[in-house]
Each structure stands twice: as structure tokens, then as C-alpha cells.
Amino acid sequence: MSFDVLRLQALLSLAYWVSAQQHTEEDEATLNAILDEVEARRTGFGNYLLEHDIQLSRSQWLLFVAGMLANWSENMWTGFQQMDSFREYLTDENCSSAVTSTELDAVGAALMALGSIEFGEAGVDVVLSLMQASQILAKSAECQHPRAAYDLAACAVLAGVEVLDDLDEVQLQQLLTACDMHVRLAVVGEKLEQIVVAHIEKARVHERLSSAAPSNRVAAFQDLEIATEALMALPEGQLRDMLSEQIGQIANASPHLRVAIHRLIVFKEQRSRDAFRAKTGVDPMLKRIHVAKDDDEMAQALQRVLQSDAHLISFVDLARFELHANGDPSHLSVDWTNWRVNHHAYQRAVPQNRSFLREQDFAETLAELVHETTHVMTTSRQIGFPLFTCRMLLMTLESFLLESVKCTDIEELFKAKLEPGCSEQLGFVHHQLSIAERMEILQDTWTPWFEGLAVFAETAVIPVDDELGIADVVLLQRNLVDFNEAAQEGPEAYREAYEAFVSQFEELASNALSQIGPDRLRTLFRSSDGALYSAGYVAVRRILSEFRNKLGEDRSGAELFAALYHATCYGIRDSFPPFDLPVEAYKDAALQGMSDWIDMLNRLSADDIKLLITRDNKFSKGRRLTWRNGRPLEISDDDIERMKEQVDVQWQEISGQLLRLLDPEITPLASKDPDVGEIEATMRKASERAISAYLGSDDSMAHLQSAQIELMHSTSLMPIGSVDAGFALCVGEDSDFAHLCINLITTERHRDTKAPSYNFLVLPMPRDQALRLMDAYNRTRVPYMRVTRLEDLAGVINPDLSYMNYFLFQYGSEWTWAHSAVLPLSILEKDNDRERFIAYAQRRLGTDPTNRIQVPLSSLRERCTIWLDESHKWVAGGINLPLQDWSDALRAQAVRIGDSSLRAERRRVAGEGMLRVAGIPEAEAVVLAERGFVGLTENHRGEYANLIEFLLASARRRSNTQEMKPPPIPTLSYLFSKYDTGWDL
């Protein structure tokens, strides 16, 4: 192992950093006087400082280091032997230097490592020490001294790569962080060769990590994409050939990259280019940016892009796609406080134009998306508001805790280590856990209902059965298919074409949902949550059966679903208990509220039900309704402002309850021992005062409420699909507009080819946006951008256009743009609309933890448990406090949060209570909630398929079962009733 290059890089970069630090003439004079004395007495520098009890300032010490590095060959023995002890002579008291202790330690560690390298004692630990020290110094110099920062980052990467094969996963991640900095600083330096080198080294690290996660294979390929893109912009010559050879070595050494990387078409020899052209008919020299002088040149540029460049771009995009791991169906999920569908088919593709209809697994994907978007729509409405308010206060409490432990890294939200034994933090932690526990109780209580409604939606809401309209959860899927017809033949012809488009989708969707329904119902009932699904589904069915009875009509399940959907979204608010109830009382009240709400549904009149399901036609969203005293009411425009005021009142009520939350938690503790109670009450009041100081003022409350509204607006944008897409850009010198040419992978598996498919789009865009993108490309040489499709669930951009779809284009952090997914529409032509959409979308998709919707409750539990384990005594103002009872109560509460068995039991009890209110006898409700359909049919396996068929048929209409009989399963005989038109639950 040779370290010659590393040694030289480390010496130069460290010397550059040290010399860049500021010092005074006085510092220099003081140090020179000491050095003169040392030389005169013929003693060592360290010995002299020790004998005379001299402490150096940080600036003086760095001046000494600078001199040492200037004559390293003479001083390296001193640096190696005594550098550790030199740090002991530093003082912080008389320090005016901006250099931190961490940076000084890094300088010392780097010098020690350099000494070890000089004397042949460099192992992995030494090289890692040099890497970490260089990384610290590079980060400190990034803003003020980017050149020094780049050299140090390069040193850190070079050190890590020297021992790459010996690093474990944690160390590789540290090296990857250094690589990111290396790339960033290379871009700042605007040196193409540095960008190539930085990405080559980063690719090596990603490839080493590929065994840990398949996504690193893709990252390695993308690193080499960028390196190749920058390489082709370098002039031909020795440097370009050398770097090209390094790219080839990485590719050929990797079984994952060997085939894919050849598609990057790095041809050094003319005969290779000619062979590729003869085989494919495509010129292998891709041109990314086209600048046209006039309209003729613009037409020629677009023609070249479509005839040549588009093939190369898609060629590379497909190579990148094939390196991805297949989408994992187990990842399909919607979190209550995230409201985002994560579907495996769209983890590396975006639906565009008619591609959604051409998915190989269209039926299954459609059913899954209907199920999950039912969750998104229902959990983000009235039940989402109190949960979101809880999340906002949790974030506020966390900001106090981070401040108390002097943590400024927002990535440490809900993870930052707390100070053991710090009694001042007890109230904040207890407040957080109390909010988190109530959030879980509320979610668990309503989960059976929400799951039952979603199961019914995907198996019974068949579009052709709905003569009154189309369910929102199906409309969301229809809008994934873009109606890209331009209205050139007039409004009447346009409407006819649109109606034909709608009819075609409804027919295809109905066939798909009917075909997949039996498999989906069997799968859901046999899953680990099968009993939960069974209980919720039966409760939904019993209520809809009662709706049919009251209407005196055999209405379809698709039509009646609208009533339950609206009630779940907008008629549920009064069912939630106050948050400031004691936790056991809160749990009981939540169950009672849910039961009362189910009972309210049973008491709706025929007129109420008709109001809920009636719409003017297939293309209208229906009447605007609200709920008052357990009944739906039609509202006018005059009612809108009053409803907004009600939302403000609700915000104030919930916030007040959350602020008072500690009262019922701590009062029982305080009553045990008057002395302890007084201390606990004092600590509680201290926490409340700190919170109220922020939230108690009108300005602070208004700011927090405004922040919540803005964040909730961003959550109304639901991402469906995301992909890295290659592009080309055509820009006219005199034209106001340019053209973005982009390749979108649109299906994971096309039904005909069983392979991914793609669409190549040409989108007009303002010239100023194109110039910004061109500038970003010229600096970074990244040949792709991230494209995400988002659905606007609440009309936050245009209230009259709910459920519109948009594309967000993100070129790293350098450039962002947006366009309607329906290409002929000019919805985002207004700059303020586009800017507002981009701001919401970036917040929705961004990585800033303060904008995350989902609070990691498991992190709260883990952090609290560790903190309590380390807190052997509680101290305030240097006095030990007898707070063990409070600590024990906090531990018990932390253990309850995230307890899977406890949460499962809460859901079972909720499902059982729901069934009883829906009319299921108590004994049967207990068994059904515990065992589900699968458990109750285990002795009648031959009838299980008949049961599924009977449930599906009767869910759509009673009349479908006129020629059928319920399966002869004694344990389920109580479920089915015969009516004039057929059977029902």
C-alpha cells in the first residue's frame, strides 16, 4: 500500500487551511519570541512550554503548525511524537480566534496521521483518522475558503479510497459524506476535470455499498453518468483518456455495472462509434444543449433531438431502470400522518398519457390505489386536523428540547440525546409522550372503520354501477389517465370526446375491479390483519344494508359508498374526545365517540341519505354539504366564511386541550406525597410556562396556526410516481420560449412487452427558465432530472380544479419547474400559481425534517427509555430531587407507545364495539373481531370461495343474489338476511 499521493495531498491541503486562518501581529511576535528562546536554550518546544507554564492561544498554535508544515521534512518527527501533548498547552480563555476546538483537534489528528504515514505505521485506523479530520476541516472552510475546502475534501476521499476494501458499512457511509462534499466543492470550483474525478471516486464507494442496498448500484451508475457527461466536455487528450479508462475499470470490475455502463457510450475510438451507428442507426454522440439562432435552427434542433438524441437518452434511462431492484409490493402503505401512497409500480416510473391503462397488472394496481387513496382522503380530512395539530405541538416541544441540549442539527429532531438527570426536561418529554399516546389511541380506535371502508371501496365501488356520478377515490385514478385532446373542434366536440374518454375508463376500470375483486378480498381477509378487515367490512356492510332499507330501493354499493365516504370525511369531528382527559378516560371516550358515530349513521333518514348520494350528473362533484347535529345539510356560499371561523375555533380548542394535557397526567402523582407533589407541580408549571411563553401570545399562536395551514396545503398534493429522467434542451437566442425534451419511464411492466415503457415529451417553457437550467447543467453536468407526478386533492392551486395532476421537474437543488400533466392545459401559466405550486410541492417532497408530516413516535419512545436508563438521579440547581414516581410513570408511558400487541388489542376492542353497534349480537361480534372470516370458516374451507362470491355480489346490489343462497356456514348464518330484491348483510 503506497501513500505517496495521499501524503502529498494531505500536506498541501492542511498547509493551505492553516495558512488561511487569521492571526494578529501580536500573535506572531509572541510565538517568534518563544521560538527564539527555544533555539537559544537548545530545548524542545513542548519542554519549554511545560517548564515555563506557558499556554498558547489557538491562533499562536496554528502559526506554529504552519511553520512545522512549511519544513515538514525537518519537523515531522516532532509532529509525530509531540503533537498530542501540544494541544494541552492551549487555552480557551484568551482566545479571540474563530477556530473551534473541534477544528483544532482535527488539525492535531491530521498531523498525527501524517507522522504515522511518514514512518510507515499507517494502518486503516490512521487513514480513517486522516479522512475524518480532513472532512471536518473541509466543512469548516467551505464558505470562506472553498479552494482549501476542496483540497481537504479531496484528501478525505483519497484517504478513504486507499483503504476502501477494509471499511465497514458505517465507515463507508462516512466516506460517502466526504464524497458528497467533494462533488459539491468541485462544482463550486467550476473545473470539469474535478467534477469527473469527484464522481468517479463517489462511484467506487457506492459500488462497495451495493451489497448493503440495491439502490447503491443505481447511485454508482448515476455517478458514472455524470462523470461521463463532464468527461465528454473535456478536450480530447491524455487527461480525458486517463479518466475514461478509470470509468471503464470501475464498470468492468462490477457485475452490476458491466452491461449497464456500456450504454453510456464512452467511445474513444472512431470504429466503436461507427459500429454503434451501423447497428442502431443512431449517432452515439449525444448533444444535451441546443442553442438555435432562428426558427429554422430550432426546428432542426428539435428534429435531431427526436430522431437521434431521444434514442440515446432512453437507452441510458432504461439501463439505469434495470439496475433498480424490482418494486416491492410489501412497501404499499399509507401512514395516518403522512397521507402519501407508496405504490411499488411507481417507485421508478410516473404514469403519463394513457400509460396507466397499459400496466401489466392494471387490475391489481387499480384496486390497491383505490384502497390506499380511500385512506388518504378519509384520514386527511376531519380526523386529520386534530392529528396534525398534535404533530405541530410535538414539533414545538421538540424545538425546546433541542435548544436545551444545545443541538442545532435539525436532522436530530426526535433523536437528539437528552441530558441524563436533567429534571427541567421531564415536563417536555412527558408532554410529548402524552400527546403521542393519545394520537395512537385515536388512530387505533378508528382503524377498523377506515380499513373496512377501504376494503369495500376497492371491491364494490364499481364505476358502471354508479348511475349518479363517480366516487372520488375512483376519480383520482381516472385522473392518472391524461385527456390530452386539444379543444380545436369546438366545445361541443371536445365534450363529446371527453365523455367518450370517461366512458372508456369506467368500462375498463369496472372490468378490472370486478376481475380482481375475489382475489383481493381473499388476500385481505387472509392477511395478518384479516380479522381487522373482516370486522370493519361487516360494519360497513350492515350500515349500507340499513341505508337500502330506508331508501326502499336496491341502490348499488357504488352509489351508497358516497354517503359513508362523506360522513367519514366531514361528519366525524364531534366524535373525538377532548385531549386533556386522563389517558384511560380518553381511551374510553374515544371508543364511545366512535360507537355514537356509528349509531348516528344508523339513524340517518332516507332524505339524509339521498342528499349525500345525489349529484347533478356524472361530471359534477355533487352538492356542497356540511354536518350539524348528526345530519348532513346543504350549504350556500354565505356559509363558507362561517365554516372557516369554525375551523379557527376548533384550532383554538384543540391547542388549548393539548396545552393543558399535563394536568391529568401529573395530578395523580402529586397526590401520593405532598413534598414530591409540590416538586412535581413546580416542574410541571415550569414546562407549561416555557410552552406558554411561545404559544400563549396571540402572535405565536397565529404563526403556528398559519404554519399548520401552509403545511396542510402542501399535504394536499399527493405524489404518484417519481423517476430520474434524461433530457435535452433547445433554446432560441431570440425567442421568448424554449423546449424541454424529456424521457419519462411510464410503466414498470407494459402489458404487451412485459418490459418498461417510456414516453418522450417536448414541453414549451419560458426562455428565462431554460437559461437557468442550462446554467445549472453547465456547472454540474448532471444528465437527468427528477420528475414527480402529484395530484392536487383539495384544489390548493385552483379551488375549481380539485384532483388536477401536475408534473414537478427538479434538477437537484439548482432548478425547479412545473407543468400540468394534461399537456394542452395552461393551468400554471400564471407565475404566481406556478410559484405557489412549486413551493407546496417542494415542501411536500423535501427533506427538511421541520416540514415532515410524519412524527417518528418510535424514536420518542426509544430516546425516552435510554434517557431514563441513564438518569440515576434528578437534579435541578445542584439539588437532588425525589422524582422517581414521575420517572416511573414516564417509563411506563414510553413503553406503551408503539407497543404492537397493545395497539392490536385496542383495534380488536374497537372492531368488536363497532360490530355490536352495527347490530351484530355480542357473542358473534367478539368472535368475528378476534378471528375474522378465515377463522370462522376453517371447518368449511370448501365454502370459502362461495362466501367471497356472495359477499361481492350482494355488496354491489341485492338483486345480484336473487338466484344465489348464502354459503351453509353455521358460524356465519347470523350475517345474512333475505329481502324482496335479494340477500344482504
Side-chain angles (χ1 to χ4, degrees):
M1 189 181 297
S2 173
F3 292 104
D4 289 345
V5 176
L6 175 60
R7 180 182 65 83
L8 182 59
Q9 176 72 36
L11 273 173
L12 293 175
S13 59
L14 188 59
Y16 194 176
W17 185 90
V18 170
S19 64
Q21 306 309 309
Q22 294 182 350
H23 62 272
T24 64
E25 292 182 2
E26 183 181 351
D27 289 329
E28 191 170 354
T30 300
L31 180 64
N32 287 335
I34 293 173
L35 291 174
D36 289 342
E37 285 293 313
V38 168
E39 185 175 356
R41 295 170 181 268
R42 298 184 180 277
T43 184
F45 185 73
N47 292 334
Y48 181 83
L49 296 179
L50 181 63
E51 289 172 7
H52 295 80
D53 194 23
I54 295 175
Q55 288 187 308
L56 300 177
S57 71
R58 295 177 185 181
S59 299
Q60 292 164 352
W61 187 76
L62 286 174
L63 277 171
F64 173 73
V65 170
M68 183 184 299
L69 290 170
N71 296 283
W72 179 248
S73 58
E74 298 177 10
N75 296 321
M76 59 185 175
W77 177 253
T78 304
F80 180 50
Q81 292 286 5
Q82 299 186 38
M83 189 49 60
D84 240 7
S85 62
F86 285 172
R87 274 291 274 115
E88 298 176 12
Y89 306 127
L90 289 176
T91 178
D92 291 335
E93 285 75 8
N94 61 348
C95 171
S96 59
S97 172
V99 180
T100 67
S101 297
T102 301
E103 292 160 6
L104 291 175
D105 290 337
V107 171
L111 288 169
M112 288 287 291
L114 269 172
S116 297
I117 290 172
E118 292 285 3
F119 293 101
E121 299 179 13
V124 175
D125 290 344
V126 169
V127 178
L128 273 177
S129 177
L130 180 59
M131 180 190 84
Q132 292 161 354
S134 300
Q135 196 171 342
I136 291 169
L137 297 175
K139 188 174 182 179
S140 74
E142 189 169 353
C143 293
Q144 298 295 325
H145 307 289
R147 168 64 193 281
Y150 173 82
D151 289 342
L152 284 158
C155 178
V157 172
L158 184 59
V161 170
E162 285 285 355
V163 292
L164 189 62
D165 293 337
D166 298 312
L167 302 184
D168 60 28
E169 187 175 344
V170 173
Q171 293 164 339
L172 285 168
Q173 290 294 346
Q174 292 175 346
L175 177 55
L176 195 57
T177 302
C179 288
D180 288 335
M181 186 184 300
H182 189 204
V183 167
R184 188 168 64 248
L185 291 165
V187 170
V188 171
E190 298 183 348
K191 299 287 187 181
L192 283 176
E193 66 273 14
Q194 292 178 354
I195 292 174
V196 177
V197 170
H199 281 286
I200 287 175
E201 301 301 3
K202 192 176 177 184
R204 296 186 202 276
V205 182
H206 272 133
E207 177 53 26
R208 271 280 285 121
L209 280 165
S210 61
S211 59
S215 59
N216 288 304
R217 292 200 302 264
V218 183
F221 180 79
Q222 290 176 311
D223 291 328
L224 295 181
E225 275 189 87
I226 301 168
T228 303
E229 194 83 5
L231 179 77
M232 302 308 286
L234 288 173
E236 293 192 10
Q238 187 175 2
L239 175 62
R240 177 166 159 172
D241 290 345
M242 179 187 71
L243 294 173
S244 177
E245 188 174 340
Q246 288 187 32
I247 292 174
Q249 287 172 355
I250 298 174
N252 290 325
S254 165
H256 307 300
L257 295 177
R258 188 176 300 125
V259 175
I261 205 67
H262 288 162
R263 297 194 186 183
L264 289 179
I265 317 164
V266 186
F267 296 133
K268 292 188 298 180
E269 300 177 2
Q270 185 65 43
R271 64 168 182 248
S272 299
R273 298 175 186 170
D274 293 342
F276 183 84
R277 186 182 296 105
K279 184 177 180 180
T280 64
V282 174
D283 186 345
M285 296 303 292
L286 167 65
K287 188 175 181 181
R288 190 76 55 185
I289 306 292
H290 301 263
V291 179
K293 294 180 179 178
D294 51 36
D295 291 346
D296 289 340
E297 281 197 12
M298 177 66 80
Q300 293 171 9
L302 286 171
Q303 185 178 17
R304 167 176 171 150
V305 169
L306 294 174
Q307 292 182 351
S308 176
D309 295 345
H311 295 283
L312 294 175
I313 290 170
S314 61
F315 201 49
V316 174
D317 281 0
L318 290 172
R320 188 190 317 114
F321 177 92
E322 290 166 5
L323 286 172
H324 280 276
N326 289 333
D328 184 355
S330 67
H331 288 167
L332 181 62
S333 63
V334 170
D335 186 273
W336 280 63
T337 51
N338 190 14
W339 309 325
R340 178 173 178 170
V341 176
N342 182 22
H343 195 281
H344 57 86
Y346 294 117
Q347 291 171 356
R348 51 182 181 159
V350 290
Q352 195 273 327
N353 200 16
R354 304 296 175 94
S355 67
F356 181 49
L357 302 176
R358 299 178 182 124
E359 286 280 356
Q360 179 183 352
D361 300 322
F362 169 66
E364 184 175 3
T365 300
L366 176 64
E368 290 172 340
L369 287 176
V370 168
H371 183 114
E372 300 303 334
T373 51
T374 301
H375 285 322
V376 169
M377 297 300 289
T378 52
T379 60
S380 64
R381 292 322 192 237
Q382 284 192 345
I383 199 170
F385 190 85
L387 291 172
F388 211 102
T389 308
C390 288
R391 176 253 181 222
M392 294 296 287
L393 191 57
L394 280 173
M395 285 288 192
T396 304
L397 291 164
E398 184 66 12
S399 68
F400 284 113
L401 283 171
L402 290 181
E403 186 177 342
S404 70
V405 296
K406 295 181 173 54
C407 176
T408 58
D409 185 357
I410 60 173
E411 289 296 334
E412 290 299 304
L413 273 171
F414 304 106
K415 295 184 290 186
K417 185 177 179 181
L418 303 181
E419 184 181 344
C422 179
S423 59
E424 286 86 352
Q425 294 170 355
L426 268 171
F428 291 109
V429 175
H430 200 162
H431 207 153
Q432 282 188 322
L433 294 180
S434 298
I435 293 173
E437 186 170 18
R438 284 160 177 77
M439 289 175 72
E440 287 190 341
I441 289 172
L442 188 61
Q443 292 175 27
D444 293 339
T445 302
W446 286 91
T447 291
W449 174 260
F450 283 103
E451 291 295 355
L453 192 65
V455 172
F456 183 84
E458 68 163 296
T459 57
V461 182
I462 309 300
V464 295
D465 292 349
D466 193 342
E467 298 175 2
L468 303 174
I470 183 168
D472 283 4
V473 296
V474 179
L475 177 59
L476 285 168
Q477 317 321 316
R478 190 183 80 193
N479 284 356
L480 293 178
V481 185
D482 303 320
F483 182 68
N484 284 325
E485 304 295 329
Q488 295 175 345
E489 305 299 326
E492 192 62 33
Y494 181 83
R495 183 175 180 81
E496 288 178 5
Y498 184 67
E499 289 178 356
F501 160 76
V502 169
S503 297
Q504 180 192 28
F505 174 83
E506 291 191 1
E507 183 178 352
L508 289 170
S510 297
N511 291 337
L513 292 173
S514 300
Q515 167 199 337
I516 201 69
D519 286 341
R520 289 292 300 162
L521 210 54
R522 278 193 294 268
T523 299
L524 291 165
F525 288 159
R526 284 176 174 166
S527 70
S528 59
D529 288 323
L532 181 71
Y533 290 130
S534 299
Y537 179 78
V538 169
V540 168
R541 291 292 309 274
R542 289 300 290 252
I543 293 167
L544 291 183
S545 181
E546 186 63 23
F547 284 2
R548 284 170 173 153
N549 292 339
K550 288 182 178 179
L551 291 170
E553 300 176 65
D554 185 19
R555 285 289 185 182
S556 71
E559 291 168 348
L560 294 175
F561 172 79
L564 288 189
Y565 172 78
H566 194 281
T568 305
C569 287
Y570 305 110
I572 204 170
R573 180 178 58 198
D574 295 336
S575 304
F576 310 139
F579 282 106
D580 53 354
L581 288 175
V583 68
E584 286 299 317
Y586 181 84
K587 182 179 70 173
D588 295 340
L591 278 170
Q592 188 61 51
M594 179 269 296
S595 299
D596 291 344
W597 183 79
I598 298 290
D599 186 55
M600 178 205 77
L601 295 177
N602 278 327
R603 289 186 279 105
L604 290 176
S605 68
D607 288 340
D608 292 333
I609 299 165
K610 287 179 182 178
L611 184 62
L612 287 166
I613 67 175
T614 301
R615 282 151 287 180
D616 294 330
N617 55 58
K618 295 283 280 187
F619 301 96
S620 71
K621 293 190 62 180
R623 296 172 172 82
R624 289 186 297 184
L625 305 176
T626 187
W627 287 76
R628 195 174 302 148
N629 300 322
R631 295 191 60 200
L633 298 173
E634 195 164 359
I635 60 174
S636 65
D637 292 339
D638 295 337
D639 295 322
I640 300 299
E641 288 303 317
R642 182 175 52 79
M643 293 175 66
K644 290 180 179 178
E645 292 174 3
Q646 289 177 343
V647 172
D648 291 340
V649 170
Q650 185 188 11
W651 158 262
Q652 297 290 342
E653 288 177 351
I654 295 173
S655 300
Q657 293 164 10
L658 292 172
L659 286 173
R660 295 189 298 270
L661 197 57
L662 282 185
D663 286 329
E665 294 291 337
I666 300 180
T667 300
L669 298 172
S671 64
K672 290 182 180 180
D673 183 322
D675 294 332
V676 175
E678 183 178 348
I679 294 170
E680 289 168 335
T682 301
M683 300 308 303
R684 178 192 66 202
K685 288 177 181 177
S687 299
E688 289 179 347
R689 277 197 302 272
I691 297 164
S692 297
Y694 179 75
L695 296 180
S697 69
D698 292 340
D699 288 344
S700 296
M701 287 295 286
H703 174 76
L704 196 60
Q705 184 177 3
S706 175
Q708 170 161 340
I709 291 170
E710 287 295 300
L711 197 52
M712 289 192 76
H713 278 163
S714 73
T715 64
S716 296
L717 299 176
M718 183 175 70
I720 294 284
S722 194
V723 68
D724 287 327
F727 71 95
L729 187 63
C730 298
V731 185
E733 288 187 352
D734 298 323
S735 173
D736 291 335
F737 272 81
H739 293 88
L740 174 64
C741 310
I742 193 157
N743 184 64
L744 296 183
I745 293 179
T746 56
T747 61
E748 191 174 58
R749 284 187 301 276
H750 193 279
R751 69 187 179 200
D752 297 330
T753 65
K754 308 299 184 286
S757 59
Y758 57 88
N759 293 337
F760 198 84
L761 307 185
V762 178
L763 300 174
M765 65 187 305
R767 185 171 181 272
D768 63 327
Q769 288 291 333
L771 292 177
R772 286 179 54 205
L773 174 59
M774 185 167 68
D775 177 66
Y777 167 78
N778 287 332
R779 285 185 288 106
T780 64
R781 296 292 162 169
V782 178
Y784 53 83
M785 63 179 68
R786 173 55 59 111
V787 182
T788 304
R789 185 177 182 124
L790 299 105
E791 293 199 70
D792 183 356
L793 303 182
V796 295
I797 303 304
N798 186 329
D800 297 325
L801 293 172
S802 294
Y803 308 152
M804 283 301 300
N805 280 232
Y806 305 92
F807 285 123
L808 184 74
F809 303 90
Q810 293 174 290
Y811 191 75
S813 60
E814 307 276 336
W815 176 85
T816 306
W817 193 60
H819 197 284
S820 165
V822 180
L823 302 183
L825 295 185
S826 56
I827 295 165
L828 291 175
E829 285 306 303
K830 295 179 181 177
D831 287 342
N832 58 338
D833 284 348
R834 195 186 303 272
E835 290 170 6
R836 194 153 48 92
F837 172 80
I838 288 173
Y840 286 145
Q842 286 180 317
R843 186 182 291 120
R844 183 70 164 116
L845 302 173
T847 58
D848 183 348
T850 59
N851 286 333
R852 289 177 192 157
I853 307 152
Q854 188 173 355
V855 173
L857 300 185
S858 59
S859 296
L860 287 178
R861 167 184 174 161
E862 182 179 352
R863 179 176 69 178
C864 179
T865 303
I866 293 173
W867 179 54
L868 293 175
D869 288 342
E870 295 175 347
S871 299
H872 305 297
K873 59 183 179 180
W874 298 99
V875 180
I879 301 173
N880 292 343
L881 302 177
L883 298 178
Q884 194 59 45
D885 284 347
W886 196 357
S887 174
D888 292 344
L890 202 58
R891 183 185 298 277
Q893 189 175 41
V895 169
R896 291 196 299 269
I897 292 173
D899 186 313
S900 57
S901 60
L902 177 61
R903 299 196 69 180
E905 176 61 14
R906 280 200 295 249
R907 291 168 181 169
R908 186 199 65 76
V909 171
E912 177 189 321
M914 183 182 299
L915 289 169
R916 289 202 306 269
V917 180
I920 303 298
E922 183 172 351
E924 284 77 3
V926 171
V927 177
L928 181 59
E930 185 173 336
R931 301 178 63 193
F933 281 121
V934 172
L936 292 174
T937 57
E938 59 186 357
N939 296 325
H940 303 272
R941 297 289 174 84
E943 296 294 336
Y944 189 68
N946 294 332
L947 171 65
I948 296 297
E949 182 183 1
F950 194 83
L951 289 172
L952 289 170
S954 59
R956 291 180 66 174
R957 286 190 193 274
R958 287 174 176 174
S959 57
N960 291 337
T961 63
Q962 284 183 339
E963 305 300 323
M964 301 173 69
K965 290 184 178 180
I969 304 172
T971 52
L972 293 176
S973 60
Y974 65 89
L975 273 182
F976 307 108
S977 299
K978 182 69 183 293
Y979 298 92
D980 291 342
T981 54
W983 292 87
D984 208 342
L985 265 63

